[in-house]
């Protein structure tokens, strides 16, 4: 079956669409990638999303953006089809992650109750109506209803794509936040370990915005970081954050590494290029530390398979190679999975699993009581 995945991550950079051909079910699924395309968010939409993410109010903006994103997701899907000579009618299913604007995986006290919650916007009804294709959306809620943290959901797909009989592997996605899935050799799905290591590109991106007066949104290939100097004292103080020594499972988000964090860095008066170099080093070091502290004591791993936009950052990738000399650093592209399309591909697969009635959350990764069939359905047009 031909399936599309639509993903927009915490970087708020845009909409990734992947179109894949899936054969088989469960872990004998085979996934062939037909097309991947990134559609940038229009500048005003991006700014509006920044303004409402992790804030308390803004109800009208949330409602409007929900429907507007539905239109943008449908357009992004149709553009991916037309650019790649794919007939949209040949696509049988769309899996749409949506844009997370709030995520609280662990319950908090609220109105005398303990409440965990998550909110992804981007109205699937609009996507289904514009495309005519059955659309599965809102994957995280069901995992949370089953007692999970709603994240991470990609480990199921990492296990499917990258497991190996002989070697242990780490799938590392460097988006706004960096997260990894450790897959022991010859393991079962419940043996995977998955968690957020800390910042991915989020801190670097915000600093680059400041450094270039908004002209550049990220450090292309790590060129600015390559010219800056790592500020050791600042790096050590950032590394002393208790998040990095806390045992997994754990999740990080824009709450930790957003505007406040970056304002704190700017207030140090350290030259911005040096801050960018230091933030890049922080990402590399916290990934390496996470593997050394939590993965290697649990299972032996050989391959580090990077994906996400951060895989294009040469400084970051070179540092990972130096900090983890015992590992072979590769990218998902070596396994036929486009680095920028990896998460969109994952949501295509998750939608397919839902369509087959399979539970696709990995309880050991999310903390859920059981594997539940994920997602909500917006029906195809008859
Ligand atoms: N050529 C590149 N060089 C360096 N960094 C890049 C490059 N392309 C993308 N990125 C980084 O990747 C980020 C987007 O990554 P992505 O995987 O889409 O993250 P998310 O899932 O959080 O949206 C950008 O914000 C940028 O920091
Ligand atoms: Mg993105």
């Amino acid at each position: 079956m031909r399936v599309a995945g639509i993903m927009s991550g915490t970087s708020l950079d845009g909409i990734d669409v992947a179109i894949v051909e899936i054969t088989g079910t469960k872990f004998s699924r085979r996934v062939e990638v037909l097309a991947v395309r990134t559609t940038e968010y229009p500048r005003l939409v991006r700014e509006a999303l920044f303004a409402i993410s992790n804030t308390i109010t803004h109800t009208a903006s949330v409602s409007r953006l929900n429907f507007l994103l539905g239109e943008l997701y449908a357009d992004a899907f149709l553009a991916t089809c037309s650019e790649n000579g794919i007939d949209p009618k040949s696509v049988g299913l769309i899996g749409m992650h949506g844009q997370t604007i709030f995520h609280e995986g662990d319950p908090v006290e609220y109105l005398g109750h303990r409440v965990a919650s998550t909110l992804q916007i981007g109205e699937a009804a609009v996507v289904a109506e514009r495309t005519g294709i059955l659309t599965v959306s809102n994957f995280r809620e069901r995992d949370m209803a089953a007692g999970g943290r709603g994240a991470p959901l990609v480990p199921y797909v990492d296990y499917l794509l990258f497991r190996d009989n002989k070697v242990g592997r780490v799938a590392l996605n460097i988006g706004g936040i960096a997260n990894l899935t450790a897959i022991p050799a010859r393991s079962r799905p419940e043996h995977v370990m998955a968690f957020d290591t800390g910042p991915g590109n989020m801190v670097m991106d915000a600093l680059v915005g400041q450094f270039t007066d908004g002209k550049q949104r990220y450090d292309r290939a790590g060129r600015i970081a390559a010219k800056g100097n790592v500020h050791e004292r600042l790096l050590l103080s950032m590394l002393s954050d208790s998040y990095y020594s806390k045992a997994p499972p754990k999740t990080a988000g824009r709450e930790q590494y957003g505007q406040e964090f970056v304002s704190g860095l700017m207030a140090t008066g350290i030259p911005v290029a040096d801050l960018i170099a230091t933030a890049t080093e922080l990402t590399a070091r916290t990934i390496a530390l996470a593997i050394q502290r939590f993965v290697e004591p649990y299972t032996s791993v050989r391959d580090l398979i990077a994906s996400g936009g951060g895989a294009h950052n040469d400084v970051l990738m070179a540092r990972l190679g130096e900090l983890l000399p015992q590992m072979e650093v590769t990218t998902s592209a070596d396994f036929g999975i486009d680095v920028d399309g990896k998460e969109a591909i994952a949501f295509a697969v998750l939608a397919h699993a839902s369509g087959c009635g399979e539970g696709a959350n990995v309880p050991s990764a999310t903390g859920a009581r059981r594997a539940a069939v994920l997602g909500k359905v917006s029906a195809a047009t008859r």
Side-chain angles (χ1 to χ4, degrees), residues 128-374:
E129 189 62 27
R130 298 289 171 267
T131 62
I133 301 166
L134 188 152
T135 303
V136 181
S137 64
N138 301 85
F139 290 84
R140 301 192 187 276
E141 288 88 329
R142 190 58 181 268
D143 176 77
M144 292 181 72
R149 283 173 209 83
L153 296 182
V154 175
Y156 179 92
V157 183
D158 284 333
Y159 177 81
L160 173 72
L161 295 174
F162 302 127
R163 72 187 189 279
D164 189 84
N165 273 333
K166 297 207 178 64
V167 296
R169 289 175 165 160
V170 173
L172 169 71
N173 194 72
I174 314 169
I177 296 292
N179 64 271
L180 64 76
T181 305
I183 311 158
R186 216 177 308 104
S187 58
R188 297 173 53 81
E190 59 267 30
H191 298 143
V192 306
M193 173 192 254
F195 60 97
D196 292 342
T197 59
N201 303 298
M202 191 176 281
V203 179
M204 298 181 233
D205 283 359
L207 291 167
V208 169
Q210 303 261 1
F211 186 66
T212 64
D213 252 341
K215 284 191 199 69
Q216 232 175 288
R217 288 218 318 263
Y218 60 86
D219 185 12
R220 184 171 293 277
R223 280 183 211 140
I224 305 172
K227 293 202 196 85
N229 296 306
V230 173
H231 194 286
E232 286 298 333
R233 202 150 32 85
L234 175 63
L235 177 68
L236 285 179
S237 95
M238 290 195 288
L239 284 171
S240 70
D241 186 324
S242 62
Y243 183 80
Y244 307 120
S245 46
K246 191 178 144 201
K250 53 183 177 176
T251 55
R254 200 164 273 288
E255 314 75 82
Q256 274 130 293
Y257 303 106
Q259 201 45 54
E260 225 175 292
F261 188 86
V262 172
S263 301
L265 295 181
M266 293 299 291
T268 60
I270 296 168
V272 186
D274 292 354
L275 289 178
I276 293 168
T278 308
T280 307
E281 181 70 8
L282 176 69
T283 295
R285 288 278 286 272
T286 50
I287 291 167
L289 269 175
I291 291 173
Q292 288 155 351
R293 271 186 189 153
F294 303 118
V295 176
E296 287 177 338
Y298 169 66
T299 186
S300 80
V301 284
R302 188 195 68 185
D303 300 329
L304 181 65
I305 307 168
S307 60
H312 299 298
N313 186 319
D314 296 340
V315 172
L316 181 57
M317 292 301 287
R319 285 298 290 148
L320 286 174
E322 287 164 9
L323 292 166
L324 297 163
Q326 71 280 23
M327 295 192 80
E328 278 183 36
V329 179
T330 60
T331 73
S332 62
D334 295 327
F335 295 80
I337 303 295
D338 183 286
V339 295
D340 297 304
K342 152 90 185 285
E343 294 214 311
I345 292 163
F347 279 89
V349 174
L350 290 173
H352 191 253
S354 298
C356 296
E358 299 166 23
N361 52 335
V362 177
S364 61
T366 67
R369 286 182 288 275
R370 63 186 195 96
V373 180
L374 305 177

Side-chain angles (χ1 to χ4, degrees), residues 19-81:
I19 300 177
V20 300
E21 193 70 46
I22 301 178
T23 48
T25 60
K26 299 192 177 155
F27 293 114
S28 55
R29 263 191 189 83
R30 297 193 60 79
V31 181
E32 185 200 348
V33 180
L34 303 180
V36 166
R37 182 181 193 267
T38 300
T39 308
E40 281 194 13
Y41 274 136
R43 186 175 58 82
L44 293 176
V45 170
R46 183 166 188 266
E47 286 171 9
L49 285 170
F50 263 112
I52 62 165
S53 293
N54 300 303
T55 56
I56 303 299
T57 53
H58 295 292
T59 312
S61 302
V62 171
S63 178
R64 291 167 181 168
L65 278 165
N66 183 43
F67 273 70
L68 173 54
L69 292 192
E71 300 288 354
L72 297 179
Y73 292 167
D75 289 348
F77 164 73
L78 293 170
T80 306
C81 289

